[in-house]
């Protein structure tokens, strides 16, 4: 696409989404960067991934930060009905969203669940997301861990085409990821006024001040996840406080309208567009 853009005589913006890249992709990036007129990154950590060390020279071209957006009209708790399959009428429901793969750190979510279950028998846990064939071995390993831990209240829900309903049925949202750039599932949970506990991945700490809009914990630390989630289990007032503040942050910083305006401004700056 970069080559096609240059051959067409167009301005080229390369959009970068990740914080972990292979040597092959880094090589392609270095080769194609001279043809780019600028870059859009979805997080500061993405910028650090691509524009540090030997690649820092490419940062002389403009680099624009625009996070992954959230449709706050669709993700609005006031307008969504809960999903019966996730709702825990007898206690607290704790959910994580995303395709089942090692980057999501689901071993730590499961270990967190094991630690919490002994203290709070009535809570339930949900892992919502597709299991692709390429991750069948990993998913089987997770299922074995769940079985050996005796976690009857932890369910693999599978893919869902109604994420707002899933989140409406949830009391606490947990992100146990080992790496992310701009985690949309976290932003969506915040938009739904959920109390969030997330590992410090991507730009999470930029939009969640620890102890203000939610909790941010170290990566690969099930004990830290359990401790912070435990605080939220014991305090409905704290869950409500975090949820309200989190939605406010999303409305001002991550709403799709805000992000569209940023994209428009970038296209004007790079392409000299006078109308859009």
């Amino acid at each position: 696409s970069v080559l096609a853009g240059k051959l067409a005589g167009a301005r080229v913006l390369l959009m970068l989404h990740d914080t972990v890249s292979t040597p092959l992709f880094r090589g392609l990036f270095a080769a194609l960067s001279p043809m780019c007129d600028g870059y859009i990154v979805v997080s500061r950590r993405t910028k650090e991934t691509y524009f540090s060390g030997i690649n820092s020279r490419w940062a002389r071209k403009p680099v624009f930060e625009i996070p992954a957006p959230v449709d706050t009209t669709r993700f609005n708790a006031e307008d969504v009905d809960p999903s019966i399959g996730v709702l825990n009428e007898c206690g607290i429901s704790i959910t994580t969203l995303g395709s089942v793969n090692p980057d999501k750190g689901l071993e730590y979510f499961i270990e967190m669940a094991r630690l919490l279950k002994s203290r709070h028998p009535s809570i339930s846990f949900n892992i919502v997301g597709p299991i692709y064939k390429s991750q069948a071995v990993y998913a089987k390993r997770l299922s074995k861990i769940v079985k050996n831990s005796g976690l009857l209240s932890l369910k693999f829900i599978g893919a869902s085409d109604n994420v707002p309903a899933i989140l409406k049925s949830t009391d606490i949202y947990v992100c146990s990821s080992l790496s992310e750039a701009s985690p949309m599932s976290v932003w969506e949970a915040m938009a739904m006024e959920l109390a969030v506990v997330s590992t410090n991945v991507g730009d999470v700490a930029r939009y969640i001040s620890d102890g203000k809009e939610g909790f941010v914990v170290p990566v690969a630390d099930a004990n830290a996840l359990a401790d912070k989630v435990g605080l939220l289990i014991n305090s409905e007032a704290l869950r409500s406080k975090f949820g309200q503040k989190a939605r406010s942050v999303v409305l001002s910083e991550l709403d799709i309208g805000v992000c569209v305006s940023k994209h428009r401004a970038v296209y004007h700056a790079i392409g000299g567009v006078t109308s859009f």
Side-chain angles (χ1 to χ4, degrees):
S1 60
V2 171
L3 290 170
K6 295 309 291 185
L7 289 171
R11 296 277 185 165
V12 175
L13 279 166
L14 184 60
M15 192 163 186
L16 302 165
H17 293 265
D18 58 302
T19 56
V20 178
S21 63
T22 64
L24 174 61
F25 193 84
R26 286 178 179 271
L28 286 171
F29 172 74
L32 294 172
S33 285
M35 303 180 194
C36 298
D37 297 289
Y39 313 89
I40 296 175
V41 295
V42 297
S43 70
R44 288 180 181 173
R45 288 199 180 182
T46 300
K47 183 177 180 179
E48 292 169 359
T49 298
Y50 284 96
F51 300 103
S52 60
I54 62 172
N55 289 326
S56 61
R57 61 188 180 280
W58 305 127
R60 295 170 189 168
K61 297 180 180 181
V63 182
F64 305 92
E65 295 178 29
I66 307 177
V70 179
D71 183 347
T72 55
T73 301
R74 180 172 179 241
F75 288 88
N76 185 348
E78 294 182 1
D79 299 329
V80 177
D81 294 324
S83 169
I84 302 302
V86 173
L87 190 66
N88 181 4
E89 296 181 354
C90 300
I92 299 292
S93 176
I94 300 171
T95 299
T96 191
L97 282 163
S99 63
V100 175
N101 71 79
D103 288 341
K104 300 302 179 183
L106 295 174
E107 301 94 328
Y108 300 97
F109 182 88
I110 294 168
E111 176 61 12
M112 173 206 72
R114 187 190 69 79
L115 293 169
L116 288 170
K117 193 64 178 176
S118 61
R119 311 173 207 166
H120 308 278
S122 62
I123 58 179
S124 64
F125 305 89
N126 308 287
I127 296 175
V128 182
I131 301 174
Y132 299 111
K133 289 182 179 180
S134 60
Q135 301 299 337
V137 173
Y138 176 68
K140 186 176 181 179
R141 180 160 65 87
L142 293 179
S143 296
K144 185 175 181 179
I145 295 172
V146 171
K147 182 178 180 180
N148 291 341
S149 300
L151 286 169
L152 300 178
S153 60
L154 190 151
K155 297 180 290 183
F156 288 87
I157 304 296
S160 172
D161 59 2
N162 193 351
V163 172
I166 295 285
L167 294 175
K168 177 69 174 183
S169 312
T170 298
D171 297 288
I172 301 168
Y173 184 82
V174 172
C175 171
S176 57
S177 292
L178 305 181
S179 66
E180 296 279 356
S182 185
M184 286 190 66
S185 61
V186 175
W187 309 157
E188 290 166 354
M190 293 170 68
M192 289 291 290
E193 298 188 31
L194 285 178
V196 173
V197 179
S198 176
T199 49
N200 188 8
V201 290
D203 275 2
V204 165
R206 184 175 178 182
Y207 299 109
I208 298 178
S209 299
D210 186 41
K212 185 177 180 181
E213 292 90 12
F215 288 124
V216 181
V217 302
V219 170
D221 191 336
N223 287 298
L225 287 171
D227 288 345
K228 297 302 184 183
V229 171
L231 292 176
L232 292 172
I233 290 172
N234 292 326
S235 177
E236 182 178 356
L238 187 58
R239 296 198 302 271
S240 177
K241 175 185 173 182
F242 280 177
Q244 291 174 15
K245 289 188 174 183
R247 179 166 174 83
S248 179
V249 169
V250 172
L251 288 171
S252 62
E253 302 286 343
L254 300 164
D255 177 74
I256 192 167
V258 174
C259 295
V260 165
S261 294
K262 291 181 178 180
H263 278 283
R264 182 184 292 114
V266 170
Y267 300 151
H268 280 287
I270 291 295
V273 180
T274 56
S275 62
F276 194 84

